[in-house]
Amino acid sequence: MVPTRTAPLEGSARAADAPDVESISPVRRWRRGGLVAPWVLARTTGSLYVAGGLAVLLAALADPARSLALFAVAGVATATGLVVLRHGQRLRSLAFHALVTSGTALITAVVLTAPSTTTALALASTYTFVAIDVFYYFAGAEALLQLALLVVASSAALHERTLPWVVVTGFLVLLGAVALVIGDLAGRAARADHDALTGLLNRRGFDEALERRLEEATRTGAPMAVALLDVDHFKRVNDAHGHQVGDDLLRSLARGLQRRLPSGAVVGRLGGDEFALVVPGWGGDATPAALEDLVRGLEASVSAGVVVALRAEPPGEVLRRADAALYRAKSGGRGRVVLGDASTGHLAGDLAAALVAPGGGGLRVVLQPVVSVRSGRTAAVEALARWDHAGRGPVPPSEFVPVAEDAGLVRALGAFVLRRACEQARVLQTGLDEPVLLTVNASGRELVDADYADGVLAELQRCGWPAEQLVVEVTESVVEGGSSPALASLEQLRRRGVRVAVDDFGAGYSTFSRLDEVPADYLKIDAALLSTATTSPRRRALVEAVLGVAATLGLVAIAEGVETPEQAGLLQALGCPLAQGYFYGRPADAADLLAAAPVVDPV
């Protein structure tokens, strides 16, 4: 997609003059006029014009010779209605005032020119169409002005047709009642779509607006961005200053977004301190810079994830990608704007379909043995996901796991892997006739989910696999800085018997100090640390030091990436209890592992 930096920057600069940002609260709309969005106005107005035109046409057919004026009005009304249905959402508020006023005028014309009093009275019933519009479309003085015009025009026309004053009065009471009831219902409906605190669209209102804008973008081919914003350290504000200050901050941010957003944008509050934006015209690599310009002047620091919607992309998929980008922004230090990856959209759709397919859609689980270095016997197995894509062939985990995280599918993928792993491990354990530990990997996205631990425990119960024989592997980075939700998930699992392993220790950001923060039982030494340990005295010393620290902290060490007899011999000499790698066995299903057992004789 071609970058469109100019449009967003211009939009931000003139946002203060943009009255049609779709977020305004019902109360504010009462002051300004209008309770519903332009597309609703267009659909309702167009439909009422067409219905009125058809009613007049039927009345004219009763006496064609004396109803030429009625035929003309019927044609004008029907044609106007069709045009409004097709293009009305582009109209401004003043245009709808003109349409409602014109409707009153056209009905008055047909009442006055009807060939008989009976026909005139029948056509006067279409004044109720205008009564529906008055408080549905407008508010305050604007609505009262339209109602006054309706009362004057209808009473004058009916009086001209010499109808009794009792009939005219009753008719006017009916029109007033219809207008007031419709206005009350419209107000209630508008409030149901809006957040009471900020006046922005709530989740329901935003989801509906997003769906409409995506349909429009698909139809026109115009670029459109969707962003999720999260206030940094908002909990600290509430804790330090109270919820009233926090509420004031949210209201201030809502006003700031409304002022700065370009015309035609949608803004909503999804709950808590999370806001959502839809901005037509934003697209390409310039999108993050445009969003940074927009949020820079806000009262509080925010993290944001933004994506450019793909053609015909479902709303849920767009929000999942934006949520994944927001997660990366917050994980990277907060106060950042991250552009979500558009290239994963179709692969994510295929992965989502595979996860619900009866046979797994090419997804499967293999097990890699974790053996006792001293005896060579299988002590545990690590569950590893594999995906044989129908069109692309094998897709490596390094590709589809990040896609699952970005698309919000990682929880479903984790549940799938755990379920299939338990099935495979049970087969292996039965064949070996001895207990086997099962280890599964957990991503940071899973751990921070408040329901993660409950989900794991529920899956274990369904599968009949003992919690005491499950090990959840996590990397240090997922609990960096003592992430409260992640640590809480791990602690909850450990209380129920599940054990925890720190994975990939010795690679990247590993630090000894963090081992004290993670509630762990096992320490998996990364293959990179072992790869040259047989030829480098310094690297051998590092491996020995890690083993010593693990023993001191009461952690069981597992060496990863063992590929040669020399590496296996070194680990036995250093007293490493457990190891895994191609030397001991490649990942395979349970049946193949049983056929190959024992994998290797003791070194």
Side-chain angles (χ1 to χ4, degrees):
M1 187 175 293
V2 179
T4 57
R5 180 180 177 86
T6 302
L9 294 184
E10 287 180 354
S12 295
R14 60 184 169 82
D17 299 322
D20 54 345
V21 173
E22 190 171 338
S23 65
I24 302 166
S25 70
V27 173
R28 190 173 174 191
R29 287 186 179 184
W30 176 267
R31 298 189 187 115
R32 294 179 45 176
L35 287 169
V36 290
W39 71 274
V40 179
L41 297 178
R43 187 176 63 185
T44 306
T45 303
S47 299
L48 291 178
Y49 257 86
V50 171
L54 293 177
V56 175
L57 177 62
L58 292 175
L61 292 175
D63 191 354
R66 297 193 297 161
S67 302
L68 296 181
L70 301 189
F71 281 117
V73 171
V76 170
T78 304
T80 301
L82 294 175
V83 171
V84 172
L85 283 173
R86 181 68 179 86
H87 303 288
Q89 61 183 357
R90 304 175 185 175
L91 299 177
R92 299 284 183 172
S93 176
L94 187 62
F96 286 103
H97 270 291
L99 286 169
V100 173
T101 303
S102 298
T104 301
L106 289 173
I107 296 171
T108 301
V110 298
V111 170
L112 292 174
T113 59
S116 68
T117 301
T118 302
T119 303
L121 186 58
L123 291 174
S125 64
T126 56
Y127 276 123
T128 57
F129 290 176
V130 178
I132 290 173
D133 296 345
V134 170
F135 284 103
Y136 185 41
Y137 289 10
F138 313 115
E142 296 177 357
L144 293 175
L145 180 62
Q146 288 286 356
L147 181 61
L149 179 62
L150 173 63
V151 169
V152 170
S154 58
S155 59
L158 294 175
H159 180 74
E160 183 68 23
R161 297 307 303 242
T162 65
L163 288 170
W165 69 268
V166 175
V167 173
V168 175
T169 302
F171 190 80
L172 295 179
V173 170
L174 173 64
L175 292 181
V178 169
L180 292 174
V181 170
I182 293 296
D184 180 65
L185 293 176
R188 292 175 184 271
R191 288 190 292 274
D193 289 339
H194 285 75
D195 172 48
L197 177 65
T198 62
L200 301 180
L201 293 173
N202 58 20
R203 180 175 289 276
R204 169 184 162 181
F206 181 83
D207 288 346
E208 292 177 352
L210 173 61
E211 185 174 1
R212 294 193 303 270
R213 296 305 175 93
L214 286 173
E215 291 174 353
E216 183 178 353
T218 297
R219 185 175 64 254
T220 63
M224 187 183 78
V226 177
L228 294 178
L229 283 64
D230 196 90
V231 183
D232 294 333
H233 306 298
F234 181 70
K235 185 176 183 298
R236 295 181 186 176
V237 176
N238 278 335
D239 291 344
H241 305 287
H243 289 281
Q244 182 59 52
V245 173
D247 290 348
D248 291 342
L249 176 59
L250 294 176
R251 281 189 285 261
S252 176
L253 290 172
R255 290 191 296 269
L257 289 171
Q258 287 176 316
R259 287 194 302 268
R260 299 177 65 83
L261 277 169
S263 175
V266 178
V267 57
R269 178 184 174 227
L270 302 187
D273 60 337
E274 188 174 20
F275 295 86
L277 311 176
V278 177
V279 190
W282 284 19
D285 294 336
T287 302
L291 186 55
E292 287 174 355
D293 289 342
L294 188 144
V295 303
R296 188 174 295 123
L298 296 177
E299 186 172 333
S301 171
V302 300
S303 299
V306 60
V307 297
V308 177
L310 305 176
R311 185 173 182 83
E313 187 175 14
E317 180 63 28
V318 178
L319 289 176
R320 278 195 294 269
R321 291 197 298 121
D323 184 60
L326 173 60
Y327 177 81
R328 293 200 301 272
K330 295 170 67 175
S331 300
R334 302 180 183 270
R336 302 170 63 240
V337 173
V338 170
L339 177 65
D341 184 5
S343 64
T344 63
H346 296 298
L347 189 60
D350 294 342
L351 180 58
L355 287 169
V356 298
L363 283 169
R364 57 192 177 91
V365 172
V366 294
L367 306 176
Q368 184 172 34
V370 178
V371 306
S372 166
V373 173
R374 182 174 298 276
S375 68
R377 297 179 67 85
T378 300
V381 286
E382 179 180 358
L384 302 169
R386 297 291 184 263
W387 187 18
D388 299 318
H389 190 280
R392 299 177 49 172
V395 180
S398 59
E399 184 175 349
F400 71 78
V401 172
V403 168
E405 292 183 327
D406 287 352
L409 297 170
V410 70
R411 182 173 179 180
L413 178 61
F416 174 90
V417 171
L418 179 58
R419 188 180 313 119
R420 295 297 177 89
C422 289
E423 295 170 358
Q424 291 276 323
R426 185 181 295 105
V427 172
L428 181 65
Q429 183 170 263
T430 301
L432 294 176
D433 195 25
E434 59 183 6
V436 174
L437 287 177
L438 171 63
T439 78
V440 295
N441 292 275
S443 78
R445 296 303 299 273
E446 290 180 286
L447 286 174
V448 298
D449 187 335
D451 297 326
Y452 170 70
D454 289 334
V456 169
L457 295 170
E459 194 64 52
L460 290 177
Q461 187 174 14
R462 279 194 293 269
C463 297
W465 186 260
E468 296 77 10
Q469 289 179 235
L470 179 70
V471 179
V472 174
E473 298 187 19
V474 300
T475 60
E476 297 166 276
S477 60
V478 305
V479 287
E480 183 177 4
S483 168
S484 296
L487 293 177
S489 295
L490 295 178
E491 291 285 10
Q492 182 180 352
L493 289 173
R494 293 185 82 222
R495 286 194 298 269
R496 298 291 296 274
V498 176
R499 286 175 264 188
V500 176
V502 175
D503 197 12
D504 298 334
F505 188 84
Y509 303 99
S510 296
T511 62
F512 286 109
S513 63
R514 200 166 296 140
L515 292 178
D516 189 45
E517 301 174 2
V518 183
D521 305 279
Y522 294 86
L523 182 65
K524 302 193 74 172
I525 304 172
D526 190 75
L529 200 60
L530 182 64
S531 60
T532 58
T534 57
T535 58
S536 169
R538 293 172 63 87
R539 189 58 66 90
R540 175 189 171 119
L542 284 173
V543 173
E544 189 172 6
V546 172
L547 290 172
V549 170
T552 301
L553 295 177
L555 304 177
V556 179
I558 304 174
E560 297 181 292
V562 183
E563 298 183 351
T564 68
E566 292 77 15
Q567 290 173 340
L570 174 63
L571 292 174
Q572 187 173 31
L574 294 177
C576 182
L578 300 173
Q580 68 183 103
Y582 287 175
F583 176 71
Y584 298 107
R586 292 176 177 270
D589 61 29
D592 291 338
L593 291 181
L594 286 171
V599 179
V600 68
D601 292 329
V603 176

